[in-house]
Amino acid sequence: MKKVLLLSLSLVIGLSAFAQRRVMKNDIREAKAKATIAVVGNETTTDASTYAPQVSKSVVTNRWDDMEDTETMWTYYDLQSNQYVANRMYQLPNGKVAVAATMSHNPSNSSVPDRGTGYNFYEGGEWGAMPDARIEPFMAGWPSIARYGATGEILLCHGNGAMNCFTREVAGQGEWQFMGTLPNYPEGYPYTTEYPTWPRVVTCGDNHDIIVAVAALQHSVSSDETDVRTVMFRSEDAVNWTVSYGPLEEYNYHIGYFSADDYALASNGHNVAVLYSGCITNSTWMFKSTDDGLTWEATRVWEDPYEGISLEDPDLVYSDTLFRPMNGSIVIDNNGVVHVALNTFEMAHWEDTEAGYYSYFYGRGVDGILYWNDTQEAPIQSEDGNPHHAARLWWPDEENSGYVVMRPDSTKWIGFIPMFYDQDGNIISWDNDLYYHPGSEYVSKFYGASGHPALSCDPAGNLACAFSAPCTRRTDGSYYYRGIFTSYYNVSEGYWHQDEDDLMEDIMLLYSEGLFTNAVQNTANVGEFWFSYEVDDYIGFWWGSNASQTQASENIIHAVKVIPDPAFYDGVEETEAVDAVYNIYPNPATDYIVVSSAINANATITFVNLAGQTVKSFSKDLTIGENSVNIDLESGVYFCTVNANGFSKTTKVIVK
């Protein structure tokens, strides 16, 4: 298990600076870099070419009227995850959306006997009534849902001494059918009483009928030691399952390196990807399959310079602080590109620190949400070549010794704790005493101050990311409430518009905080993104091993549809000069391609080989949405050009 001593970092407010002090066990060390925060939009940079132009701003934009936010269910059980919050929403091509959460309506029994899956479904422009009971006939938790087959859906959860599978033939309709339990453990597992917990599930294949899931096995060896192993499941009928240690076993990382909720899954077509992060003695790994989860290719997204070295090692010393990611999100776009978001924090381990412990720094000056995709270099590199700094957003200010400033490369950083003006036009200063600090139960859920990033991708490859972060303009008198903030990535621009929206600016949410962000990974419509999050009127947890609340409160699971720029996506007449085609996939292709169109249009589709010869050209009537096109080409590399409505789009396509 992770053995952590959480020590405080104080950011003492000055006239224009936050003085940074690192406090060690029985010893106060002054950091070499005391910290001041540069105003967003006025940051120093080392290479302007890597910083996309954005409007200089220090306050999140209010677009509440352009969002569709709904309360979908309520629960007294406020602990929705240990680390990641993943695979609890999906959307069908017809626009219908499902959301799930761990739910209990019993405030008086801490054993939560009524705990189980809360579920709601969006169709016809409306969400259903809030559920009054769980799906399962027994106590369960940590649900994960996905599309299944042509019209159905699938649910995995743990409870009743097993990992359980439920399906429905038509999503949102009828009774859930219990399909049985999944295998308890792989061959050779040394224990006999454990069963897998904390699942994530996705479906893949031409008809979403192949199921891939990950989970954790945990065996208590002694009072202070737990054998933790990650496992992977695969099924083609929701009844017969194969269970293995998955791709981690090849690297011997399946035992002890990653724990429950240290993972997230994504799928699109025949592509499946799993993200493993959250272990303080290992790197961040992404494994990708292009054959429905049969074989995997590994990528080390971020490399821990101390990978595999235990914090228990008495000889472990590193005097340079380490900026590292923890929890994250993953999504695959229609071109098969994997996108990853990771929250970051700072830690150190000095020679005179007790073995097994490290110091953890928190505050605005060590915060950020990191972005990477698998067309980029891996592992993520630091601009100064120091592996300790690959996940570093805040850097020493060369013009002001002893201070740090933010270098928010908008191709690498999604967001950070937003900055706001007060009524007099001054930046609301960060006060570390108002941050619900790591001595609380929140630490293992966030580590970094900004956490729980959730990625959503539309059919054109545009991205949105929602995350939870402290909001400096809202407090309960003692601590900052957390808000849900969103950033956007326009695929034609290639960079992030950071901290664009506050999803909790509605006056009804003024004295609430947002936690446990989740997303529809792949949305049905261009320019639309879907998220869910938990709203709690009290800071801290009521349920949990270190719970601070003295009484239960009703926590609301919100679902919100976000349109970053309605004018750009809406109200376009078909007669206008509109670039109809916004995507051509899959790639590699076999006997067909899919052309995504924004309007109804007649198109000419042409394939040219590497020698510049036209090998196929034909007409096709496109309709709004996805258009399957048979291509009947020999294996090779081609340039596919689609001309429609006076515009053209060319994509290199590999045909297998």
Side-chain angles (χ1 to χ4, degrees):
M1 297 293 289
K2 299 168 185 170
K3 187 179 181 185
V4 180
L5 177 64
L6 302 168
L7 302 173
S8 63
L9 167 71
S10 299
L11 293 180
V12 182
I13 300 176
L15 293 177
S16 62
F18 296 90
Q20 179 171 304
R21 205 175 44 166
R22 293 167 179 166
V23 183
M24 299 300 296
K25 187 177 183 181
N26 299 322
D27 176 31
I28 296 178
R29 295 174 181 260
E30 290 294 334
K32 292 181 179 178
K34 299 181 184 294
T36 186
I37 308 304
V39 176
V40 178
N42 297 311
E43 303 82 2
T44 59
T45 66
T46 55
D47 181 2
S49 66
T50 65
Y51 298 84
Q54 297 191 54
V55 176
S56 177
K57 66 181 192 308
S58 298
V59 62
V60 174
T61 305
N62 180 3
R63 290 190 311 94
W64 184 260
D65 291 339
D66 299 326
M67 302 177 191
E68 185 178 311
D69 187 282
T70 304
E71 298 179 353
T72 64
M73 67 190 80
W74 65 274
T75 175
Y76 287 119
Y77 193 90
D78 57 358
L79 182 62
Q80 291 296 321
S81 176
N82 298 297
Q83 270 281 345
Y84 286 49
V85 191
N87 307 106
R88 292 186 175 181
M89 294 186 80
Y90 73 84
Q91 185 174 31
L92 296 171
N94 58 15
K96 298 177 181 180
V97 179
V99 63
T102 301
M103 186 178 75
S104 168
H105 288 174
N106 187 339
S108 59
N109 191 330
S110 61
S111 63
V112 284
D114 71 329
R115 191 187 70 181
T117 298
Y119 172 95
N120 209 330
F121 195 72
Y122 173 90
E123 61 179 327
E126 294 183 347
W127 286 93
M130 287 194 183
D132 55 13
R134 66 192 178 200
I135 289 174
E136 305 87 353
F138 44 74
M139 179 180 170
W142 265 245
S144 184
I145 58 174
R147 295 174 59 185
Y148 181 49
T151 61
E153 57 188 339
I154 186 170
L155 160 70
L156 293 188
C157 61
H158 69 241
N160 202 33
M163 179 76 73
N164 307 282
C165 177
F166 296 81
T167 65
R168 286 204 289 198
E169 290 188 6
V170 179
Q173 298 181 23
E175 297 295 324
W176 288 89
Q177 181 180 358
F178 179 54
M179 305 299 293
T181 61
L182 278 63
N184 276 351
Y185 34 75
E187 183 178 355
Y189 184 68
Y191 313 109
T192 59
T193 59
E194 277 63 41
Y195 62 93
T197 53
W198 289 280
R200 305 286 186 268
V201 65
V202 294
T203 56
C204 53
D206 292 328
N207 202 33
H208 288 271
D209 52 1
I210 300 172
I211 310 160
V212 178
V214 292
L217 285 166
Q218 300 180 95
H219 175 80
S220 179
V221 178
S222 64
S223 60
D224 61 353
E225 181 183 357
T226 302
D227 184 300
V228 182
R229 308 188 184 201
T230 52
V231 289
M232 179 171 286
F233 302 90
R234 188 177 186 276
S235 176
E236 298 186 7
D237 60 6
V239 176
N240 300 291
W241 298 83
T242 60
V243 57
S244 68
Y245 288 121
L248 284 177
E249 185 174 19
E250 180 179 346
Y251 297 85
N252 200 32
Y253 288 155
H254 60 297
I255 303 175
Y257 281 99
F258 297 102
S259 186
D261 285 355
D262 281 354
Y263 39 76
L265 274 169
S267 66
N268 193 332
H270 297 282
N271 298 306
V272 186
V274 56
L275 175 68
Y276 291 100
S277 183
C279 175
I280 56 177
T281 57
N282 203 350
S283 304
T284 295
W285 288 87
M286 188 276 289
F287 293 88
K288 183 178 181 180
S289 171
T290 58
D291 56 5
D292 301 311
L294 291 174
T295 60
W296 299 85
E297 181 178 346
T299 301
R300 187 187 275 108
V301 176
W302 172 83
E303 185 172 11
D304 187 343
Y306 307 97
E307 182 178 299
I309 301 176
S310 172
L311 295 181
E312 304 265 351
D313 187 343
D315 296 324
L316 172 62
V317 177
Y318 63 90
S319 57
D320 189 1
T321 58
L322 175 64
F323 297 81
R324 65 173 305 131
M326 190 52 89
N327 55 53
S329 180
I330 187 169
V331 70
I332 306 175
D333 67 26
N334 283 347
N335 288 320
V337 177
V338 178
H339 303 266
V340 170
L342 297 159
N343 85 318
T344 59
F345 72 102
E346 184 183 7
M347 59 182 280
H349 187 289
W350 281 286
E351 185 175 8
D352 60 350
T353 306
E354 182 179 346
Y357 290 83
Y358 67 88
S359 58
Y360 165 86
F361 310 142
Y362 61 92
R364 176 170 272 167
V366 292
D367 180 65
I369 304 289
L370 183 64
Y371 170 75
W372 174 88
N373 69 60
D374 68 347
T375 70
Q376 300 174 340
E377 181 181 9
I380 296 169
Q381 300 297 310
S382 170
E383 62 187 61
D384 66 354
N386 185 340
H388 290 77
H389 302 160
R392 182 174 192 171
L393 171 61
W394 295 83
W395 295 78
D397 184 354
E398 297 177 358
E399 297 180 359
N400 296 285
S401 177
Y403 293 91
V404 297
V405 291
M406 182 165 49
R407 296 176 183 169
D409 179 347
S410 49
T411 65
K412 183 177 180 180
W413 291 96
I414 286 174
F416 27 80
I417 299 172
M419 299 182 187
F420 296 95
Y421 287 114
D422 62 21
Q423 60 185 4
D424 297 322
N426 301 312
I427 287 288
I428 299 175
S429 299
W430 173 267
D431 184 345
N432 226 50
D433 291 335
L434 294 180
Y435 176 60
Y436 196 55
H437 57 78
S440 72
E441 66 267 22
Y442 274 16
V443 61
S444 62
K445 314 303 180 288
F446 292 100
Y447 283 85
S450 296
H452 296 162
L455 285 171
S456 185
C457 182
D458 77 3
N462 301 305
L463 298 167
C465 182
F467 59 94
S468 174
C471 182
T472 57
R473 62 182 179 182
R474 297 191 296 119
T475 77
D476 67 350
S478 299
Y479 300 108
Y480 295 127
Y481 286 112
R482 303 186 71 88
I484 305 297
F485 304 98
T486 52
S487 301
Y488 306 105
Y489 177 97
N490 188 315
V491 69
S492 65
E493 296 174 335
Y495 62 87
W496 285 91
H497 294 262
Q498 300 150 337
D499 291 6
E500 285 289 320
D501 281 316
D502 179 353
L503 300 189
M504 298 182 66
E505 279 198 324
D506 185 85
I507 192 171
M508 298 301 293
L509 300 175
L510 184 62
Y511 297 107
S512 302
E513 73 167 356
L515 304 164
F516 302 121
T517 327
N518 200 9
V520 168
Q521 291 180 324
N522 296 96
T523 62
N525 300 312
V526 175
E528 277 187 16
F529 305 99
W530 285 86
F531 300 102
S532 67
Y533 58 97
E534 180 179 276
V535 171
D536 193 344
D537 289 341
Y538 297 91
I539 296 173
F541 293 126
W542 173 72
W543 199 96
S545 58
N546 298 312
S548 63
Q549 294 181 19
T550 58
Q551 61 182 10
S553 61
E554 292 185 8
N555 301 273
I556 308 297
I557 306 299
H558 283 240
V560 56
K561 179 174 72 174
V562 181
I563 302 175
D565 188 350
F568 180 79
Y569 296 108
D570 294 346
V572 178
E573 298 294 333
E574 292 184 16
T575 56
E576 295 182 22
V578 176
D579 191 353
V581 177
Y582 56 81
N583 200 17
I584 301 169
Y585 71 96
N587 197 4
T590 52
D591 55 348
Y592 74 96
I593 59 171
V594 175
V595 178
S596 304
S597 180
I599 63 174
N600 297 326
N602 179 263
T604 300
I605 302 176
T606 305
F607 286 87
V608 176
N609 62 20
L610 291 178
Q613 301 167 321
T614 299
V615 296
K616 182 182 281 291
S617 184
F618 54 92
S619 296
K620 173 74 175 180
D621 288 328
L622 301 178
T623 59
I624 296 174
E626 312 302 292
N627 299 265
S628 181
V629 180
N630 295 324
I631 55 178
D632 189 25
L633 292 170
E634 295 181 357
S635 299
V637 179
Y638 302 89
F639 292 96
C640 173
T641 299
V642 181
N643 290 283
N645 203 35
F647 292 85
S648 67
K649 182 177 180 63
T650 300
T651 299
K652 185 169 71 173
V653 176
I654 300 172
V655 177
K656 289 187 175 180

